[in-house]
Amino acid sequence: MNKLAKAVFTLTSFSVLDRVLGFIFKIYLSREMGAAALGVYQVALSFFFVLMTLTTSGLPLIGGKMTAAFDARGMGQKTHSLTSAALIINGVVAAALIGLVFAFRLPLSAIISSQESMELLLVLLPGLVFCSAAAAMRGSLWGRERYTALSVIELAEQVVRILLCVALFLTGMGKTYAAAQSLTIAMAFSAALTAAVYFGSGGRLARPGGQLRPLLASSAPISVLRASSSLVNSLLAVAVPFLFVSSGMSGDESLAMYGATIGMAMPLLYLPITVIGSLSYAMIPTLSKADAAGNTAEVRRQAESAIRFSVIVAALFIPLFCGVGYESGVFLYGNADAGRFLRTGGVLLIPIALESITSSMMNSLGMEKQGFLNYVIGSAVMFGIMFCFYGRFTPGALCAAWFVSLTLSTVLDVLCIRKHTGISLKFALTMLGCIALAVPCTFLARWTADLMSGAPEIASLAVGALLGCGGLLLLFFVFGLLDGCVVFGKRKKRADNSRKRLHIKP
């Protein structure tokens, strides 16, 4: 197993466990709160995540890249100055953001249109200090490829959050406030654990030594990009309920529909990101090193195989959501609206995966500003489409707008990456092949679930999903769609070496 594949396997293993716990917790929250209360909580979270991404996105990514570069050049002592610079920048930004929220809490409350959501946002604010400190040290650990340690920290944070939330529920605290308090305390725990790992692995603090300006200049575009992504979610938290109300729903009904679609269904549609996100996370340092060394062939090989792998992983979930998505939503959340959106939203799987992997590549290749512009264009088109449905807005219209947005941003990213690296567009053939093979497997999943309608709900759902997704994976092997993926790169390389030793032409 090559180094990248090993890193992806490690990250994915922990990420899957973390996601499983997260999904179970989301189901628990949904059933405890109900769709309307979950919508209120989701609105507060969306605004908090805008603030959080300003301190937890750009700096760790750029810090990791710069740490990897310093280590590769034998300048490891500079990484300590880099971490100190990151702590200073994040500390100042976090303090400024908290001050701004308190100063403008009244107009912000009017924008949110929910006093309870505003109060929850204030409960979450202390977490900004904790997550900003952890992010500064996390960049150094990432650059030194301490993937296992970082994965353990994230998993521990999830476990602590779940246990605390359940305990606070049992004390009789309000459900939304208990969820917010548990998240804040869990972030404090994560920050303490990250500091222990950082200093325990030889890290220390030092004078910034001229690292403040280059770190800030390089990370700011990424932070703005990621914050813009979170800002889009915040705007959705305002626009989607508003558009539902314009279509005849009451305020409570609109929040309940928002909670069902964005709070319940969308996290499941992002399930493939568990694997693809691990690939992106592990690939950025290696891709950055190859690009810095001028190894265009290696950059192109990794980019092409990673895109193909992302398409294949996303396509594997199509029979699950398009075939038995409705049953999944009803079984997991007890909510028919979530089930209907899961079934419709299955078309988003491949665009979500491609947008995720290509945006990460843009960051790795130093095209953060262009990536940000591509994202803004896609998001602007999405909101334009949504408001075209004013007065007749439905979850289907939301899905269509999201599909166009993700597709447009991805196409623009791919064109930029192609211009920079010369990657082939043959992955489009892989995508078309995956979609074509997914269609009969989706019908197989749907037909199986209908055939077993008299059986227990979990049985028909599980068998339908297993036959649909399992059958699709088998077809991928039969038609050779898995050949050349980054995960299988080592096997292919060994085969090529064997041919050379035996003087056999491929």
Side-chain angles (χ1 to χ4, degrees):
M1 184 181 290
N2 60 34
K3 188 175 182 180
L4 179 59
K6 184 177 181 180
V8 172
F9 177 78
T10 300
L11 288 167
T12 301
S13 298
F14 279 99
S15 183
V16 166
L17 182 56
D18 183 57
R19 286 291 180 113
V20 168
L21 290 175
F23 283 132
I24 294 173
F25 183 54
K26 175 69 74 173
I27 294 167
Y28 173 74
L29 281 182
S30 300
R31 291 185 174 274
E32 287 288 322
M33 291 183 179
L38 182 63
V40 170
Y41 176 63
Q42 197 70 34
V43 169
L45 274 184
S46 65
F47 279 87
F48 175 71
F49 285 154
V50 174
L51 306 177
M52 190 176 75
T53 49
L54 287 170
T55 60
T56 62
S57 53
L59 277 175
L61 187 139
I62 294 299
K65 289 171 59 177
M66 293 177 69
T67 296
F70 284 145
D71 285 344
R73 297 168 188 164
M75 303 164 64
Q77 70 279 2
K78 286 194 174 184
T79 62
H80 305 308
S81 298
L82 192 66
T83 303
S84 299
L87 281 168
I88 292 172
I89 294 171
N90 268 359
V92 171
V93 172
L97 291 174
I98 291 173
L100 285 172
V101 171
F102 272 100
F104 295 97
R105 62 185 181 277
L106 293 180
L108 185 58
S109 179
I111 294 173
I112 293 177
S113 301
S114 171
Q115 183 60 36
E116 186 179 357
S117 292
M118 187 64 223
E119 292 172 358
L120 292 176
L121 178 59
L122 296 178
V123 172
L124 291 167
L125 275 185
L128 201 59
V129 176
F130 305 129
C131 65
S132 64
M137 292 176 281
R138 193 172 290 129
S140 176
L141 294 172
W142 182 23
R144 288 187 282 155
E145 300 182 7
R146 301 296 178 90
Y147 302 127
T148 302
L150 288 169
S151 299
V152 170
I153 291 171
E154 291 181 1
L155 182 61
E157 179 182 351
Q158 182 77 273
V159 171
V160 168
R161 181 191 177 191
I162 294 172
L163 293 177
L164 278 173
C165 188
V166 172
L168 291 175
F169 279 1
L170 293 175
T171 65
M173 180 182 289
K175 299 295 175 65
T176 53
Y177 289 96
Q181 284 282 16
S182 64
L183 179 57
T184 300
I185 298 172
M187 285 189 286
F189 171 81
S190 178
L193 192 57
T194 302
V197 172
Y198 173 75
F199 290 109
S201 61
R204 66 175 189 271
L205 301 181
R207 291 179 180 274
Q211 300 299 328
L212 282 169
R213 182 175 294 179
L215 181 60
L216 183 59
S218 298
S219 64
I222 299 175
S223 296
V224 172
L225 171 61
R226 300 289 176 84
S228 298
S229 175
S230 296
L231 180 60
V232 167
N233 292 331
S234 297
L235 293 175
L236 284 172
V238 176
V240 171
F242 170 78
L243 288 171
F244 282 140
V245 169
S246 76
S247 303
M249 292 186 185
S250 67
D252 289 341
E253 288 173 341
S254 67
L255 281 175
M257 183 63 76
Y258 175 78
T261 54
I262 306 299
M264 296 179 184
M266 283 307 296
L268 283 176
L269 290 173
Y270 274 79
L271 187 63
I273 301 299
T274 302
V275 179
I276 296 165
S278 299
L279 174 60
S280 302
Y281 196 64
M283 186 180 65
I284 287 177
T286 60
L287 199 62
S288 299
K289 287 179 183 179
D291 187 52
N295 191 346
T296 305
E298 178 63 17
V299 172
R300 185 164 55 246
R301 184 194 72 81
Q302 286 195 31
E304 290 174 357
S305 58
I307 291 175
R308 292 187 65 221
F309 179 71
S310 300
V311 169
I312 290 169
V313 170
L316 280 172
F317 288 83
I318 291 177
L320 171 62
F321 293 115
C322 291
V324 290
Y326 178 80
E327 290 79 3
S328 299
V330 173
F331 176 75
L332 293 174
Y333 300 116
N335 190 291
D337 291 325
R340 280 188 283 268
F341 191 78
L342 279 175
R343 183 172 56 196
T344 305
V347 300
L348 297 174
L349 289 169
I350 291 179
I352 287 172
L354 285 175
E355 196 277 335
S356 174
I357 195 70
T358 55
S359 63
S360 294
M361 289 180 186
M362 293 287 285
N363 294 334
S364 302
L365 299 173
M367 295 186 285
E368 297 92 347
K369 293 180 181 179
Q370 186 60 49
F372 169 66
L373 179 60
N374 295 344
Y375 181 81
V376 169
I377 293 172
S379 299
V381 170
M382 176 178 68
F383 281 102
I385 294 174
M386 286 170 55
F387 277 90
C388 285
F389 288 91
Y390 181 84
R392 47 195 176 89
F393 188 72
T394 64
L398 172 62
C399 183
W402 217 316
F403 179 87
V404 174
S405 171
L406 291 168
T407 302
L408 179 58
S409 296
T410 298
V411 169
L412 294 175
D413 284 348
V414 168
L415 292 176
C416 291
I417 295 169
R418 178 176 171 79
K419 183 177 180 180
H420 185 83
T421 66
I423 62 169
S424 169
L425 298 180
K426 290 183 179 180
F427 72 87
L429 296 176
T430 300
M431 180 175 65
L432 293 175
C434 289
I435 294 172
L437 294 175
V439 171
C441 293
T442 298
F443 280 109
L444 175 62
R446 175 73 265 151
W447 177 77
T448 303
D450 289 340
L451 188 65
M452 298 181 62
S453 58
E457 189 176 33
I458 181 60
S460 60
L461 172 60
V463 175
L466 181 62
L467 288 179
C469 298
L472 184 56
L473 180 60
L474 179 61
L475 289 177
F476 285 168
F477 274 108
V478 171
F479 285 90
L481 289 176
L482 296 178
D483 294 342
C485 289
V486 69
V487 173
F488 303 98
K490 190 70 172 180
R491 182 182 299 176
K492 186 177 187 299
K493 183 176 179 181
R494 286 176 179 170
D496 290 342
N497 290 338
S498 297
R499 292 190 185 102
K500 290 178 181 178
R501 286 195 299 269
L502 296 173
H503 306 289
I504 299 174
K505 292 183 180 181

